Amino acid sequence: MATTPGTDLARNRAGLRQLAARFIDLARFHAVLATFHADDSTPVEGQGAWRLTFALREATVDTEGQLAVRETAPKRYTYLLGDGEPCRTPAERLTELAKLGRTAELKHIEEAFSVDTLNREFFRKFKDLFDVVVAELRDRFPKWKKPDHPGEPDPAAEEAQTLLNRLLFLSFVQRKGWLHRDQKYLSRHFHEHYAGQKSESFYREFLCHVFENVSTEWAGRDKAVSHLPEHDPRTHDLPFLNGGLFQDDDPNDDDTRRRRSLAISNATFTRLFNELFDAYNFPIREDPPLDIEVAVDPEMLGKI
């Protein structure tokens, strides 16, 4: 279905759900798959041009054989697709549906649009890459051995957790356009300036400065960094996020000294972006009960 010119597919939730739901009559059709695409003459910068929607109205048969509707309004599960949108999850899910062919049932389509399934997948991949970072840190810093007993300090695991927590938080923040007005800020700078280098340059020369900038406020920044190249994050418009997640400002603190000495290879960041932070969608607002975008739940921040 083509939307009218100027329709914002990222925000027009209720209207699109109602349009798709017109086809559900609970007699012949209990659900509908629909695609909506924006008018090409009025693109919305940084947003997908397509929405793949699965609308479902749940119904059961009561003890007397009568149809009983459990959900008076249809729920809508949707993928936002197009340039700049991570499309790996919908591609994988729809490929599995295609393999089922005519044997596919409604439950298989529900699974393809399941947010819980996606969150479990994301968590498993997060854990796998957490182990990759821990292994690299143990290799680079032989003193950071795996502790012999539970409860003992584990610097490698602590630093890996802190790094991935920061990147996850910034993935949601950049989706709002708050990192230099660029929704792909982190990976764009990595791929354009650091990915081809066999070193630890991205962490040392870029991420450390990002973390510092979002955790401090200081006057005269523009004048102080005017000599730096444009891709240096110290020259970028980054928000002051406050809070302890990014603070490494006490030179006498053991964690701060340890963090500033870290060395993490660009090869590891290639995996982090390709397999995790560029592969999933991080929604910029919470979903209402009836309109659910199939993306990483913001609550994942707390769970992780």
Side-chain angles (χ1 to χ4, degrees), residues 114-147:
S114 169
V115 178
D116 289 339
T117 299
L118 182 141
N119 284 331
R120 289 194 295 270
E121 292 173 0
F122 178 83
F123 189 88
R124 286 194 296 269
K125 178 57 67 173
F126 188 99
K127 177 60 168 62
D128 291 343
L129 290 170
F130 166 82
D131 291 338
V132 169
V133 177
V134 170
E136 177 172 341
L137 290 176
R138 293 201 202 286
D139 183 61
R140 289 181 178 274
F141 302 94
K143 293 182 179 180
W144 294 359
K145 298 179 180 179
K146 186 175 182 179

Side-chain angles (χ1 to χ4, degrees), residues 79-81 85-95 118 121-122 125 129 271 273-281:
Y79 289 106
L80 192 60
L81 308 174
E85 299 293 338
C87 297
R88 189 183 78 173
T89 297
E92 291 177 347
R93 300 279 183 86
L94 295 178
T95 298
L118 182 141
E121 292 173 0
F122 178 83
K125 178 57 67 173
L129 290 170
R271 292 195 60 183
F273 284 117
N274 290 348
E275 300 177 30
L276 194 67
F277 297 112
D278 278 352
Y280 292 88
N281 192 7

Side-chain angles (χ1 to χ4, degrees), residues 200-272:
E200 303 81 39
S201 57
F202 181 66
Y203 181 82
R204 293 178 181 273
E205 299 174 14
F206 190 85
L207 272 188
C208 283
H209 295 310
V210 171
F211 298 157
E212 180 182 8
N213 275 15
V214 300
S215 64
T216 58
E217 284 186 308
W218 48 286
R221 187 203 323 245
D222 293 342
K223 183 177 181 180
V225 302
S226 59
H227 64 288
L228 297 174
E230 290 185 0
H231 66 270
D232 192 300
R234 286 170 289 186
T235 69
H236 296 166
D237 180 16
L238 303 180
F240 174 57
L241 298 177
N242 205 355
L245 180 58
F246 297 96
Q247 288 184 346
D248 292 324
D249 53 359
D250 184 356
N252 298 316
D253 180 71
D254 290 340
D255 290 343
T256 297
R257 287 198 297 267
R258 186 175 68 197
R259 204 155 291 141
R260 290 180 175 177
S261 69
L262 286 186
I264 302 171
S265 69
N266 291 349
T268 293
F269 280 108
T270 296
R271 292 195 60 183
L272 287 173

Side-chain angles (χ1 to χ4, degrees), residues 96-113:
E96 293 302 313
L97 281 179
K99 291 178 181 178
L100 293 174
R102 292 183 177 273
T103 65
E105 301 177 8
L106 186 58
K107 64 181 181 181
H108 299 126
I109 301 177
E110 290 186 67
E111 181 68 13
F113 285 81

